[in-house]
Amino acid sequence: MNVADTLKQASSPLFTFELLPPLKGKGIDAIYKAIDPLLAFNPSYINMTYHSAEVVYKTLADGKIEKRTVKKRPGSVALAAAIKYKYNIEVVPHVICSGFNQEETENILIDFHFLDIHNLLVLRGDPPKGMRVFQPKEDGHEHTLGLMSQINNMNNGRYLDENLKNPEKTTFSMGVAGYPEKHMEAPNMVSDMKYLKQKVENGAEYIVSQMFFDTQKYIDFVHQCRKEGILVPIVPGIKPIASMNDIKVLPQIFNIDLPEELVVELKKCTTNDEARQVGIEWCIKQSKELIAFGVPSLHYYTLGESDNIQKICKAVF
């Protein structure tokens, strides 16, 4: 069953979460270790992030600077398949514009199709490291809409090679991202909402929100979407605070606000363990508020660690 149907048919809020592929050189056991404690809460699906290669510079012994292209988190396709078939749980891999041309994207999609992985979260992705403005790879997609159109074409049996004979249609179902506090590059919320509506009109069957720490901002976002005629399920994405540094890092990276009540509690913390506990308590509060509002699902960003998510789920589900 595709994710959109699962969300629509749910009689109570579903539990889902997102994982990062391990860094190169690390094993898959760390992923299983993160998943295993959460199985008790019956996750409906697991999202798996996708990462493009990035350019790094290394100073050589002779003082020269060497430019290298490195993929620090490889193996996303294989990892998604391993999780799906080990646990018999639907996996939703991310498919991104950043760092991929159209042929590379098509080949990744063919791999997913062969593996019977048909639910995708379709994203533009972040600008390459060190760049403030997003630049697509040559012959890549500049925006999510272009990537969605390529997926729609494959669903209709149209591949990049127009000379293929009787090409098989794929059956991908697409989710997209939404931003309760607007995308950092959008000039305003009205513009961002228009773009989100275009994604839904182009085939997005549900929306997963960027993280937020003020529940009212998500509620306002949902009301605004409905007012604009965006009627697909909108899943709240939630990330518990995990360290003292999050108070600075999260607003900078994700262009989001932290409520003053949360900031006050975090400033009282003297260790990361204390900050992590504050994050758990705040996330439990948010989760209960969202359930009361009537969300179809609660989607947690784990960043590969699940001990805090386990404690949150015990209090919520």
Side-chain angles (χ1 to χ4, degrees):
M1 183 181 292
N2 69 35
V3 165
D5 289 338
T6 301
L7 292 169
K8 291 174 184 176
Q9 296 176 17
S11 58
S12 59
L14 306 176
F15 163 60
T16 66
F17 59 95
E18 178 181 295
L19 291 169
L20 297 172
L23 289 166
K24 183 180 288 188
K26 302 296 183 181
I28 198 171
D29 286 345
I31 294 293
Y32 295 154
K33 185 177 178 181
I35 294 172
D36 287 344
L38 301 180
L39 295 178
F41 306 102
N42 192 28
S44 295
Y45 58 88
I46 299 172
N47 277 33
M48 179 57 58
T49 64
Y50 206 101
H51 298 261
S52 63
E54 58 186 76
V55 174
V56 297
Y57 296 90
K58 181 178 181 180
T59 303
L60 303 178
D62 60 3
K64 293 181 179 178
I65 304 296
E66 181 181 62
K67 178 181 177 181
R68 293 182 180 178
T69 300
V70 177
K71 192 164 187 178
K72 294 185 177 180
R73 294 186 184 270
S76 296
V77 174
L79 190 58
I83 292 169
K84 177 182 175 71
Y85 293 109
K86 177 179 173 66
Y87 294 103
N88 193 29
I89 295 174
E90 194 61 43
V91 177
V92 183
H94 294 188
V95 180
I96 62 176
C97 303
S98 181
F100 298 93
N101 62 34
Q102 292 185 49
E103 183 176 4
E104 291 167 334
T105 295
E106 182 175 272
N107 291 336
I108 291 166
L109 293 170
I110 289 170
D111 283 344
F112 284 135
H113 180 61
F114 287 165
L115 291 165
D116 197 30
I117 294 173
H118 301 290
N119 287 295
L120 308 173
L121 191 67
V122 184
L123 309 164
R124 189 201 69 179
D126 297 326
K129 190 174 182 179
M131 296 180 63
R132 298 186 63 182
V133 178
F134 180 82
Q135 291 290 338
K137 190 173 182 178
E138 185 177 354
D139 195 35
H141 296 294
E142 186 173 359
H143 300 291
T144 306
L145 286 172
L147 177 52
M148 294 179 72
S149 293
Q150 182 173 4
I151 294 169
N152 282 329
N153 284 340
M154 291 180 67
N155 281 347
N156 288 303
R158 295 196 299 271
Y159 290 67
L160 295 175
D161 184 350
E162 297 177 355
N163 297 316
L164 297 177
K165 294 183 179 180
N166 301 317
E168 183 171 305
K169 294 181 179 179
T170 56
T171 56
F172 293 118
S173 172
M174 295 182 285
V176 295
Y179 299 85
E181 299 176 63
K182 90 170 183 61
H183 191 280
M184 66 181 69
E185 296 175 21
N188 53 62
M189 196 65 185
V190 173
S191 176
D192 204 29
M193 191 63 60
K194 288 179 180 177
Y195 184 52
L196 180 59
K197 188 172 184 180
Q198 285 181 320
K199 290 193 282 188
V200 172
E201 291 171 345
N202 208 42
E205 297 185 76
Y206 66 98
I207 296 164
V208 181
S209 85
Q210 173 63 280
M211 70 179 71
F212 57 91
F213 291 88
D214 183 343
T215 303
Q216 189 59 47
K217 291 189 176 182
Y218 167 83
I219 293 171
D220 293 343
F221 174 69
V222 172
H223 288 323
Q224 190 173 359
C225 285
R226 302 311 185 217
K227 184 178 178 181
E228 295 296 327
I230 299 172
L231 305 179
V232 299
I234 302 174
V235 175
I238 319 167
K239 181 195 179 303
I241 294 288
S243 72
M244 295 171 65
N245 201 38
D246 281 353
I247 195 173
K248 298 177 181 178
V249 171
L250 295 180
Q252 291 175 357
I253 294 177
F254 297 102
N255 197 40
I256 56 174
D257 290 337
L258 299 184
E260 182 61 19
E261 181 185 350
L262 175 59
V263 171
V264 168
E265 292 304 311
L266 287 172
K267 285 185 175 180
K268 295 177 184 177
C269 298
T270 57
T271 67
N272 283 333
D273 286 343
E274 290 178 358
R276 196 172 184 84
Q277 184 58 37
V278 168
I280 289 169
E281 292 170 3
W282 188 268
C283 198
I284 290 171
K285 172 178 173 288
Q286 269 197 289
S287 298
K288 291 181 176 179
E289 290 171 346
L290 290 163
I291 289 174
F293 176 64
V295 296
S297 176
L298 294 171
H299 184 70
Y300 296 92
Y301 299 116
T302 70
L303 298 184
E305 298 181 355
S306 64
D307 62 298
N308 53 352
I309 306 300
Q310 185 180 11
K311 292 176 182 178
I312 293 162
C313 288
K314 283 182 178 178
V316 173
F317 291 99

